[in-house]
Amino acid sequence: MKRRYLIASLVAVATALNMGCATLDERQRAWIFQPSDSSWGASASAAEGMEDIWIDFRSEVTGEDARLHGLWLPARRNADKGPVMLYLHGARWNVTGSAPRIRRMQELGFSVLAIDYRGFGKSTKGLPSEDMAYEDARTAWKWLAAQHGHRERFVFGHSLGGAIAIDLASRVEDERGVIVEGTFTSIPDVASSMKFGWLPISPLITQRFEAVKKVDKLRSPLLVVHGENDTLIPSDLGRRLYDAATGPKHFMLVEGGSHFSTMAVGLPRYRQALKDFFSLN
């Protein structure tokens, strides 16, 4: 989520008291997700060679048939027995925009399934919502369980995807661990951290993504990663999310990491944390 888009959305929401609830909700969904079929920079080239995955299901949220598109990248070693990861991306860019991060997770030893939520990329068209994104993550998790149920499975979420990852992990019991990067406590808390945070708009926010109210339900270890120089999601929101967790947990602040560069900058520390905290080599 780019900060200027969020600021614009908050100002618009604050002046939209006369708008219908449905219109207000739709505008928030568009502003928060910024769904597109675009990838960041040259990241699409990093997706070359990844396998296309298609997951069809009947949505309980919309009552309609839906299809998710994902990318599958097997690990370089122990591809049939090693850990697998469900990768949940953030706002604005489609799944190919996360291809560099997906390859870094492969470098760390994971086979990775990364999906596009409905409204992004080649997945079912339409305007995504908080509940739809949660359902998409659960659907992808069921696919992983059906295909790789004998292997240790992890959930990773970046930015908005971190809130989706925590919702998923709070509902299931078969995840080995959860990793979130550049993630927040809730959308209202993100709003209050911004220039116009003094505006009393929290009651108007329909897409709340209140990860802070769910993180204590996690049954598996939680690794919270944040870039020290993250100007989009302040690191203190990541710290507050970590503080709210009650199970095994570890907080990793990456010096010099921004909202988008933390994994690249902190890859050696990621490797060490996976070894120390999750006992992964």
Side-chain angles (χ1 to χ4, degrees):
M1 296 180 290
K2 281 199 171 182
R3 200 172 185 86
R4 66 174 181 271
Y5 287 104
L6 283 175
I7 291 174
S9 72
L10 300 179
V11 174
V13 167
T15 58
L17 294 175
N18 294 325
M19 295 169 57
C21 292
T23 302
L24 180 60
D25 178 69
E26 289 173 359
R27 292 195 177 187
Q28 287 185 46
R29 290 158 62 186
W31 282 320
I32 289 172
F33 283 96
Q34 301 167 52
S36 74
D37 190 22
S38 300
S39 55
W40 179 77
S43 57
S45 62
E48 294 179 2
M50 296 183 187
E51 179 184 353
D52 289 311
I53 298 294
W54 302 96
I55 305 173
D56 296 300
F57 66 105
R58 181 74 175 180
S59 172
E60 295 181 2
V61 174
T62 66
E64 301 174 350
D65 291 333
R67 167 174 272 200
L68 301 180
H69 171 251
L71 297 175
W72 172 254
L73 183 65
R76 292 196 178 103
R77 58 187 180 88
N78 296 324
D80 295 328
K81 298 181 180 179
V84 295
M85 171 178 286
L86 174 60
Y87 181 106
L88 300 169
H89 66 67
R92 195 178 186 191
W93 308 115
N94 65 14
V95 70
T96 61
S98 294
R101 288 196 193 91
I102 295 169
R103 291 203 177 275
R104 291 187 188 104
M105 285 302 183
Q106 181 198 45
E107 185 179 339
L108 292 172
F110 293 98
S111 294
V112 183
L113 170 67
I115 63 160
D116 262 331
Y117 318 111
R118 279 170 282 178
F120 287 81
K122 300 175 184 177
S123 292
T124 295
K125 303 302 181 185
L127 182 62
S129 72
E130 180 177 5
D131 288 340
M132 289 167 63
Y134 291 158
E135 184 180 41
D136 293 345
R138 295 195 301 272
T139 300
W141 188 254
K142 291 176 182 176
W143 184 93
L144 270 185
Q147 300 293 323
H148 304 283
H150 62 290
R151 300 164 66 177
E152 291 186 332
R153 282 167 286 133
F154 291 76
V155 187
F156 173 89
H158 177 256
S159 192
L160 185 65
I164 299 169
I166 288 173
D167 177 83
L168 171 63
S170 72
R171 297 169 184 258
V172 302
E173 299 181 359
D174 54 349
E175 82 284 9
R176 171 67 177 82
V178 182
I179 305 168
V180 296
E181 179 187 316
T183 299
F184 46 81
T185 48
S186 69
I187 290 294
D189 286 345
V190 173
S192 67
S193 74
M194 294 181 174
K195 181 178 179 180
F196 298 96
W198 54 271
L199 291 171
I201 65 169
S202 181
L204 300 175
I205 298 176
T206 63
Q207 307 294 295
R208 302 184 70 83
F209 288 95
E210 293 180 306
V212 70
K213 294 184 178 181
K214 304 171 185 177
V215 71
D216 64 342
K217 298 179 177 63
L218 269 59
R219 301 170 181 84
S220 60
L222 170 69
L223 174 61
V224 178
V225 183
H226 222 103
E228 184 181 46
N229 297 338
D230 191 332
T231 58
L232 180 60
I233 306 296
S235 61
D236 68 313
L237 291 185
R239 173 66 76 171
R240 284 168 55 189
L241 181 65
Y242 165 82
D243 288 341
T246 56
K249 58 185 180 179
H250 179 67
F251 184 81
M252 188 171 83
L253 185 66
V254 177
E255 295 79 4
S258 70
H259 191 68
F260 301 103
S261 70
T262 293
M263 185 180 291
V265 173
L267 195 63
R269 294 191 59 193
Y270 256 102
R271 183 176 288 106
Q272 191 63 45
L274 293 175
K275 180 179 180 181
D276 296 342
F277 190 53
F278 293 117
S279 300
L280 295 176
N281 295 320

